[in-house]
Amino acid sequence: MATVTALRILNPGFVSVTYGAGGSSRARTVELTKRIKSELGIESMAHVTCVGHASGELRALFGELEAAGIENVMALRGDPPKGETAFVQAAGGFRYASDLIELLSREFSFSIGAAGYPEKHPEAPSIEADIENATRKVRAGAEFLVTQLFFDNDAYFAYVERLRAAGVDVPVVPGIMPITNYEQIARMTKMSGASIPQRLLAELAARSDQPEAVAELGVAFTALQCSDLLARGAPGLHFYTLNKSPATRAVVSALVATQAIRNLAVSPA
Ligand SMILES: Cc1cc2nc3c(=O)[nH]c(=O)nc-3n(C[C@H](O)[C@H](O)[C@H](O)COP(=O)(O)OP(=O)(O)OC[C@H]3O[C@@H](n4cnc5c(N)ncnc54)[C@H](O)[C@@H]3O)c2cc1C
């Protein structure tokens, strides 16, 4: 709550709350999503995954969210719980996010979001197969996609172009992870399959024994990445804050400053 309060000044369109692998954080996801909306007055969205739940349990969870006045759900398959390497379909549960989206569309009235992968999902055999999956999720009822983190803007725009060619016309919101920590970025890129520009990686590596210098370069890179995304037509930005506020605040402040400078440039003397 302290982090969301610190981010409030950025006037986010919504704040989303992740769902722990294996449903371990289920109660906390519902509670936090509810409190962000009722106590801070910020639109909120609950992530829900298929991991470890039979369909009846998922129905009950959606009922709980509905009763709490939550209007938005990010519907995901989920990653395997800690210590496991492959996703296992729960008994009586769902195998894919599209199954969850079908249930949501059929029985509830949430606004539904789904995940997209500019550099393909690590388990997908090809980018084409993954585009087909995104198409399936939108046909099932997803109204917007939020992407996996990426550092290569061309990969994002190529992904959007492929989706449009496949007839998918929903907003595709770039998922942005501000770089603040060398080890963390190495781990995240390995896990997500996101590529990182060689030059950036080399500059970060050169600073790896100076955490502050890594964060300074990381924030500068992310601010310019976001500015380029918006200038080239991205419909907004979704920040993976990892429950921390300073880097996201610095990045958005840079974007606000850019707008202020542009306004200065066009305002009459
Ligand atoms: C914005 C965002 C938020 C996230 N939030 C969370 C979170 O809160 N908690 C969490 O645990 N994880 C979260 N994740 C991670 C996500 O759970 C993993 O990336 C997971 O491995 C895939 O989830 P998905 O919803 O994209 O799955 P799916 O869309 O089901 O895809 C999973 C794989 O199955 C393939 N596939 C799908 N349908 C079919 C089919 N019919 N036939 C053959 N292959 C198919 C896809 O191509 C893909 O390779 C998030 C990811 C993103 C991008």
Side-chain angles (χ1 to χ4, degrees), residues 9 27 50 57 73 80 87 130 151 156 164 170 183 189 201 208 225 229 249 265:
I9 187 79
C50 309
E57 289 171 319
V73 169
F87 171 81
D130 216 28
F151 304 101
Y156 164 80
R164 300 299 181 237
V170 299
E183 284 76 27
T189 47
L201 193 62
S208 57
Q225 180 191 8
L229 284 166
R249 278 223 313 223

Side-chain angles (χ1 to χ4, degrees), residues 10 21 31-32 40 50 62 94 102 128 134 181 193 215-216 219 223 226 253:
L10 307 180
E31 163 84 4
L32 256 186
L40 300 178
C50 309
F62 293 136
F94 296 125
E102 270 174 28
E128 287 76 19
N181 174 308
E216 283 158 9
V219 164
C226 291
S253 297

Side-chain angles (χ1 to χ4, degrees), residues 245-264:
S245 61
T248 302
R249 278 223 313 223
V251 168
V252 178
S253 297
L255 298 173
V256 170
T258 308
Q259 277 173 347
I261 288 170
R262 286 204 187 115
N263 285 350
L264 269 184

Side-chain angles (χ1 to χ4, degrees), residues 151 179-182 185-186 196-210 213-219 221:
F151 304 101
I179 300 172
T180 55
N181 174 308
Y182 182 69
I185 221 66
I196 183 156
Q198 273 310 314
R199 178 75 198 271
L200 174 63
L201 193 62
E203 293 287 348
L204 289 169
R207 291 161 175 75
S208 57
D209 58 350
Q210 296 177 61
V214 168
E216 283 158 9
L217 175 61
V219 164
F221 175 86

Side-chain angles (χ1 to χ4, degrees), residues 19 47 77-79 96-97 117 121 130 133 136-137 240:
Y19 198 77
H47 294 202
R77 183 198 72 177
D79 276 327
Y96 298 118
Y117 300 86
H121 184 263
D130 216 28
N133 182 41
R136 199 178 297 121
K137 292 196 275 192
Y240 292 110

